[in-house]
Amino acid sequence: MNREITLVVEDSRILSDICGINDDNLKVLEELLDLKIATRGNELFLQTEDKEKRELFLTLIKKIQEQLKRGRPAEPELIKTLYHNLLNEEKDKSDLFSETFLKIPGTVTKVYPRSLRQAQYLQAMYKYDLVFGIGPAGTGKTYLAVAYALQEILSKKKKKLILTRPVVEAGESLGFLPGDFAQKIAPYLRPLYDAMDSLISVDAISRLEENRIIEIVPLAYMRGRSLNNSYIILDEAQNTTKEQMKMFLTRLGEGSRAIITGDITQIDLPSRTVSGLIHASRILKPLQEISFVYFSAQDVIRNPLVKKIVQAYETENPNQ
C-alpha cells in the first residue's frame, strides 16, 4: 500500500504560488517526479513508497518556498531548474542559481536567472571585464546583458551604456529604406530596444538617450573611438567579420567592460567570410581574463516549441 505524504502550508497565498496559475507548477512537479500530487485545504499530499521521491518532493517544496520568501515568483522553469540541480546533486550550483539576481535601480524590477546557465552568465558579468555569451536564440543572452548593463549605469558604476550590432540583413534584402539615418537603422537595432523596454520605461530610455548615457549605434560607427568607464554590448556578434571583431575589442578603454553575444548557428555573412565571433572564441579562449559562457537548446526559455525547434536543427546540423 502506498504511503501518503502530507505537507501543510500555513499561508494560503504561498500554497497558491507553489501550485501556480491553473496548477501549472503542480503539473510540472507531477511530470518530473512521475507522481500524482493533490491539494486539500492548505495541504499538499501524494502517495508513494519511493523514499527518494518523497525526499525529493519535500526538498523541492522547501526550495520553492525559499525562493518565494526572497520575492522570486514560482514558475515552471524555476521548478525544472531546481529539480535538475537537486537530481544532479549540484549543491553549489543550486545555491548559485537560487541566490543570483539583478535589481534595476529606480524601479521595482528584479531579474532572476531562469536556468543554471543564465546564473553562471550573470556571475561572469560580475567577475570579468569581457564576457562572451554564445548560444541559440531564446536563451536570454541579450536580455540579461542589457539588464546587467542597466544595473551598472543606473547605479552610476559606469557613466555610459553603448549597445551595438552589425548591420547585416538576415538572408533577404530590405531594399531602400526611407527616412533619416536613425530611421534607416532602427529595424536593425530594434531587438536592443525591445530588451530595454521590458526593463525600464520608454520615457526613462528617452531621457537616458537625450543625456547621452545610453547610445545605440551600428558597429561600423565604433571605429576610431576609445570608450572609457562604459559598459558596451555587442549583439549578433556572429555577423561580425574578423576585422570588425578586432576593431570592437580594441575600443575598450580604461574602466570599461563588455559583453558579446551571438549565435553561431545563425550567421548571415557571405559564405566564404569567417565569423569574427567564431574566430575570437578560438584565439581568445586561453585568456583567463575573459569568460566564455555557452548556452544550448536546454537553456531556451521562450515558448517550449522554440526549444524543440532548436534541438531539431542541432540534430540535423550537429557541427554548425
Side-chain angles (χ1 to χ4, degrees), residues 280-311:
S281 64
R282 185 175 71 248
I283 68 170
L284 300 179
K285 192 68 180 291
L287 299 181
Q288 295 182 352
E289 298 88 349
I290 301 174
S291 175
F292 287 84
V293 181
Y294 294 92
F295 296 87
S296 70
Q298 297 301 319
D299 300 303
V300 172
I301 53 158
R302 288 182 185 166
N303 187 311
L305 180 58
V306 174
K307 182 180 293 188
K308 294 180 180 179
I309 291 170
V310 171
Q311 289 173 329

CSV table of all heavy atoms in Angstrom, one decimal, residues 280-311:
chain,number,residue,atom,x,y,z
A,280,ALA,N,37.2,34.8,-32.8
A,280,ALA,CA,37.6,35.3,-31.4
A,280,ALA,C,37.5,34.2,-30.4
A,280,ALA,O,38.3,34.1,-29.5
A,280,ALA,CB,36.7,36.5,-31.1
A,281,SER,N,36.4,33.4,-30.4
A,281,SER,CA,36.3,32.4,-29.4
A,281,SER,C,37.4,31.3,-29.5
A,281,SER,O,37.7,30.7,-28.5
A,281,SER,CB,34.9,31.7,-29.6
A,281,SER,OG,34.8,31.0,-30.8
A,282,ARG,N,38.0,31.2,-30.6
A,282,ARG,CA,39.1,30.2,-30.8
A,282,ARG,C,40.4,30.8,-30.3
A,282,ARG,O,41.1,30.2,-29.5
A,282,ARG,CB,39.3,29.8,-32.3
A,282,ARG,CG,40.3,28.8,-32.4
A,282,ARG,CD,40.4,28.3,-33.9
A,282,ARG,NE,41.0,29.3,-34.8
A,282,ARG,CZ,40.3,29.9,-35.7
A,282,ARG,NH1,39.0,29.7,-35.9
A,282,ARG,NH2,40.9,30.8,-36.5
A,283,ILE,N,40.7,32.1,-30.7
A,283,ILE,CA,42.0,32.6,-30.3
A,283,ILE,C,42.1,33.2,-28.9
A,283,ILE,O,43.2,33.4,-28.3
A,283,ILE,CB,42.5,33.6,-31.4
A,283,ILE,CG1,41.7,34.9,-31.3
A,283,ILE,CG2,42.6,33.0,-32.7
A,283,ILE,CD1,42.3,36.0,-32.2
A,284,LEU,N,40.9,33.6,-28.4
A,284,LEU,CA,40.9,34.3,-27.0
A,284,LEU,C,40.6,33.3,-25.9
A,284,LEU,O,40.7,33.7,-24.7
A,284,LEU,CB,39.9,35.4,-27.0
A,284,LEU,CG,40.1,36.6,-28.0
A,284,LEU,CD1,39.0,37.6,-27.9
A,284,LEU,CD2,41.5,37.2,-27.8
A,285,LYS,N,40.2,32.1,-26.2
A,285,LYS,CA,39.8,31.2,-25.2
A,285,LYS,C,40.8,30.9,-24.1
A,285,LYS,O,40.5,30.8,-22.9
A,285,LYS,CB,39.4,29.8,-25.9
A,285,LYS,CG,38.7,28.8,-25.0
A,285,LYS,CD,37.3,29.3,-24.6
A,285,LYS,CE,36.6,28.4,-23.7
A,285,LYS,NZ,36.2,27.1,-24.4
A,286,PRO,N,42.1,30.9,-24.5
A,286,PRO,CA,43.1,30.7,-23.4
A,286,PRO,C,43.3,31.8,-22.4
A,286,PRO,O,43.9,31.6,-21.4
A,286,PRO,CB,44.4,30.5,-24.3
A,286,PRO,CG,44.0,30.2,-25.6
A,286,PRO,CD,42.7,30.9,-25.8
A,287,LEU,N,42.8,33.0,-22.7
A,287,LEU,CA,43.0,34.1,-21.8
A,287,LEU,C,42.1,34.0,-20.6
A,287,LEU,O,40.9,34.0,-20.7
A,287,LEU,CB,42.6,35.5,-22.6
A,287,LEU,CG,43.5,35.8,-23.8
A,287,LEU,CD1,43.1,37.1,-24.4
A,287,LEU,CD2,45.0,35.8,-23.4
A,288,GLN,N,42.7,34.0,-19.4
A,288,GLN,CA,41.9,33.8,-18.2
A,288,GLN,C,41.1,35.0,-17.8
A,288,GLN,O,40.2,34.9,-17.0
A,288,GLN,CB,42.9,33.4,-17.1
A,288,GLN,CG,43.6,32.0,-17.3
A,288,GLN,CD,44.5,31.7,-16.1
A,288,GLN,OE1,44.7,32.5,-15.2
A,288,GLN,NE2,45.0,30.5,-16.2
A,289,GLU,N,41.4,36.1,-18.4
A,289,GLU,CA,40.7,37.3,-18.0
A,289,GLU,C,39.4,37.4,-18.7
A,289,GLU,O,38.6,38.4,-18.5
A,289,GLU,CB,41.5,38.6,-18.3
A,289,GLU,CG,42.8,38.7,-17.6
A,289,GLU,CD,44.0,38.0,-18.3
A,289,GLU,OE1,43.7,37.2,-19.2
A,289,GLU,OE2,45.1,38.2,-17.9
A,290,ILE,N,39.1,36.5,-19.6
A,290,ILE,CA,37.9,36.5,-20.4
A,290,ILE,C,37.0,35.3,-20.1
A,290,ILE,O,37.5,34.2,-19.9
A,290,ILE,CB,38.2,36.5,-21.9
A,290,ILE,CG1,39.0,37.8,-22.3
A,290,ILE,CG2,36.9,36.5,-22.8
A,290,ILE,CD1,39.5,37.8,-23.7
A,291,SER,N,35.7,35.5,-20.0
A,291,SER,CA,34.8,34.4,-19.7
A,291,SER,C,34.0,34.1,-20.9
A,291,SER,O,33.4,35.0,-21.6
A,291,SER,CB,33.9,34.7,-18.5
A,291,SER,OG,32.9,33.7,-18.3
A,292,PHE,N,33.9,32.8,-21.3
A,292,PHE,CA,33.0,32.3,-22.3
A,292,PHE,C,31.9,31.4,-21.7
A,292,PHE,O,32.2,30.5,-21.0
A,292,PHE,CB,33.8,31.4,-23.3
A,292,PHE,CG,34.7,32.2,-24.2
A,292,PHE,CD1,36.0,32.6,-23.8
A,292,PHE,CD2,34.3,32.7,-25.5
A,292,PHE,CE1,36.8,33.3,-24.6
A,292,PHE,CE2,35.1,33.4,-26.3
A,292,PHE,CZ,36.4,33.7,-25.8
A,293,VAL,N,30.7,31.8,-21.9
A,293,VAL,CA,29.5,31.1,-21.4
A,293,VAL,C,28.8,30.5,-22.6
A,293,VAL,O,28.3,31.3,-23.5
A,293,VAL,CB,28.6,31.9,-20.6
A,293,VAL,CG1,27.4,31.1,-20.0
A,293,VAL,CG2,29.4,32.5,-19.4
A,294,TYR,N,28.6,29.2,-22.7
A,294,TYR,CA,28.0,28.6,-23.8
A,294,TYR,C,26.6,28.0,-23.5
A,294,TYR,O,26.5,27.2,-22.5
A,294,TYR,CB,28.8,27.4,-24.4
A,294,TYR,CG,30.2,27.9,-25.0
A,294,TYR,CD1,31.3,28.0,-24.2
A,294,TYR,CD2,30.2,28.3,-26.3
A,294,TYR,CE1,32.5,28.4,-24.7
A,294,TYR,CE2,31.4,28.7,-26.9
A,294,TYR,CZ,32.6,28.8,-26.0
A,294,TYR,OH,33.7,29.2,-26.6
A,295,PHE,N,25.6,28.5,-24.2
A,295,PHE,CA,24.2,28.0,-24.0
A,295,PHE,C,23.9,26.9,-25.0
A,295,PHE,O,24.5,26.9,-26.1
A,295,PHE,CB,23.2,29.2,-24.2
A,295,PHE,CG,23.4,30.3,-23.1
A,295,PHE,CD1,24.3,31.3,-23.3
A,295,PHE,CD2,22.6,30.3,-22.0
A,295,PHE,CE1,24.4,32.4,-22.4
A,295,PHE,CE2,22.7,31.3,-21.1
A,295,PHE,CZ,23.6,32.4,-21.3
A,296,SER,N,22.9,26.1,-24.6
A,296,SER,CA,22.4,25.1,-25.5
A,296,SER,C,20.9,25.1,-25.7
A,296,SER,O,20.3,26.0,-25.0
A,296,SER,CB,22.9,23.7,-25.0
A,296,SER,OG,22.1,23.4,-23.8
A,297,ALA,N,20.4,24.2,-26.4
A,297,ALA,CA,18.9,24.2,-26.6
A,297,ALA,C,18.2,24.0,-25.2
A,297,ALA,O,17.1,24.4,-25.1
A,297,ALA,CB,18.5,23.0,-27.6
A,298,GLN,N,18.9,23.3,-24.3
A,298,GLN,CA,18.3,23.1,-23.0
A,298,GLN,C,18.0,24.4,-22.2
A,298,GLN,O,17.3,24.4,-21.3
A,298,GLN,CB,19.2,22.1,-22.1
A,298,GLN,CG,19.4,20.8,-22.7
A,298,GLN,CD,18.1,20.0,-22.9
A,298,GLN,OE1,17.2,20.1,-22.0
A,298,GLN,NE2,17.9,19.3,-24.0
A,299,ASP,N,18.7,25.4,-22.6
A,299,ASP,CA,18.6,26.7,-21.9
A,299,ASP,C,17.6,27.6,-22.5
A,299,ASP,O,17.4,28.8,-22.0
A,299,ASP,CB,20.0,27.4,-21.9
A,299,ASP,CG,21.1,26.6,-21.2
A,299,ASP,OD1,20.9,26.2,-20.1
A,299,ASP,OD2,22.1,26.3,-21.9
A,300,VAL,N,16.9,27.2,-23.6
A,300,VAL,CA,15.9,28.1,-24.3
A,300,VAL,C,14.8,28.3,-23.3
A,300,VAL,O,14.2,27.3,-22.7
A,300,VAL,CB,15.4,27.4,-25.6
A,300,VAL,CG1,14.2,28.2,-26.1
A,300,VAL,CG2,16.6,27.4,-26.6
A,301,ILE,N,14.4,29.5,-23.1
A,301,ILE,CA,13.3,29.9,-22.2
A,301,ILE,C,12.1,30.5,-22.8
A,301,ILE,O,11.2,31.0,-22.1
A,301,ILE,CB,13.9,30.8,-21.1
A,301,ILE,CG1,14.5,32.0,-21.7
A,301,ILE,CG2,14.8,30.1,-20.1
A,301,ILE,CD1,14.6,33.2,-20.8
A,302,ARG,N,12.1,30.5,-24.1
A,302,ARG,CA,10.9,31.1,-24.8
A,302,ARG,C,9.8,30.0,-24.8
A,302,ARG,O,9.8,29.0,-24.1
A,302,ARG,CB,11.2,31.5,-26.2
A,302,ARG,CG,12.1,32.8,-26.3
A,302,ARG,CD,12.4,33.2,-27.7
A,302,ARG,NE,13.3,34.4,-27.7
A,302,ARG,CZ,13.9,34.8,-28.8
A,302,ARG,NH1,13.8,34.2,-29.9
A,302,ARG,NH2,14.7,35.8,-28.7
A,303,ASN,N,8.9,30.1,-25.8
A,303,ASN,CA,7.9,29.1,-26.0
A,303,ASN,C,8.5,27.7,-26.0
A,303,ASN,O,9.5,27.5,-26.7
A,303,ASN,CB,7.1,29.4,-27.3
A,303,ASN,CG,6.0,28.5,-27.5
A,303,ASN,OD1,6.1,27.3,-27.4
A,303,ASN,ND2,4.8,29.1,-27.9
A,304,PRO,N,8.0,26.7,-25.3
A,304,PRO,CA,8.7,25.4,-25.3
A,304,PRO,C,8.9,24.8,-26.7
A,304,PRO,O,9.8,24.0,-27.0
A,304,PRO,CB,7.7,24.5,-24.6
A,304,PRO,CG,7.0,25.4,-23.7
A,304,PRO,CD,6.9,26.7,-24.4
A,305,LEU,N,8.1,25.3,-27.7
A,305,LEU,CA,8.2,24.8,-29.1
A,305,LEU,C,9.6,25.3,-29.6
A,305,LEU,O,10.2,24.6,-30.4
A,305,LEU,CB,7.1,25.4,-29.9
A,305,LEU,CG,7.1,25.0,-31.4
A,305,LEU,CD1,7.1,23.5,-31.6
A,305,LEU,CD2,5.9,25.6,-32.1
A,306,VAL,N,10.0,26.5,-29.2
A,306,VAL,CA,11.3,27.0,-29.7
A,306,VAL,C,12.5,26.1,-29.3
A,306,VAL,O,13.4,25.8,-30.1
A,306,VAL,CB,11.6,28.4,-29.1
A,306,VAL,CG1,13.0,28.9,-29.5
A,306,VAL,CG2,10.5,29.4,-29.6
A,307,LYS,N,12.4,25.5,-28.1
A,307,LYS,CA,13.4,24.6,-27.7
A,307,LYS,C,13.5,23.3,-28.6
A,307,LYS,O,14.5,22.9,-29.0
A,307,LYS,CB,13.2,24.1,-26.2
A,307,LYS,CG,14.2,23.2,-25.7
A,307,LYS,CD,13.9,22.8,-24.2
A,307,LYS,CE,14.1,23.9,-23.3
A,307,LYS,NZ,14.0,23.5,-21.9
A,308,LYS,N,12.3,22.9,-28.9
A,308,LYS,CA,12.2,21.7,-29.8
A,308,LYS,C,12.7,22.0,-31.2
A,308,LYS,O,13.4,21.2,-31.9
A,308,LYS,CB,10.8,21.2,-29.9
A,308,LYS,CG,10.3,20.6,-28.5
A,308,LYS,CD,8.8,20.1,-28.6
A,308,LYS,CE,8.4,19.6,-27.3
A,308,LYS,NZ,7.0,19.1,-27.3
A,309,ILE,N,12.4,23.2,-31.7
A,309,ILE,CA,12.9,23.6,-33.0
A,309,ILE,C,14.4,23.7,-33.0
A,309,ILE,O,15.1,23.2,-33.9
A,309,ILE,CB,12.3,25.0,-33.4
A,309,ILE,CG1,10.8,24.8,-33.6
A,309,ILE,CG2,13.0,25.6,-34.6
A,309,ILE,CD1,10.0,26.2,-33.8
A,310,VAL,N,15.0,24.3,-32.0
A,310,VAL,CA,16.5,24.4,-31.9
A,310,VAL,C,17.1,23.0,-31.8
A,310,VAL,O,18.1,22.8,-32.5
A,310,VAL,CB,16.9,25.3,-30.6
A,310,VAL,CG1,18.4,25.2,-30.4
A,310,VAL,CG2,16.4,26.7,-30.8
A,311,GLN,N,16.5,22.2,-31.0
A,311,GLN,CA,17.0,20.8,-30.9
A,311,GLN,C,17.0,20.1,-32.3
A,311,GLN,O,17.9,19.3,-32.6
A,311,GLN,CB,16.3,20.0,-29.9
A,311,GLN,CG,16.6,20.5,-28.5
A,311,GLN,CD,15.6,19.8,-27.4
A,311,GLN,OE1,14.5,19.5,-27.7
A,311,GLN,NE2,16.2,19.6,-26.2
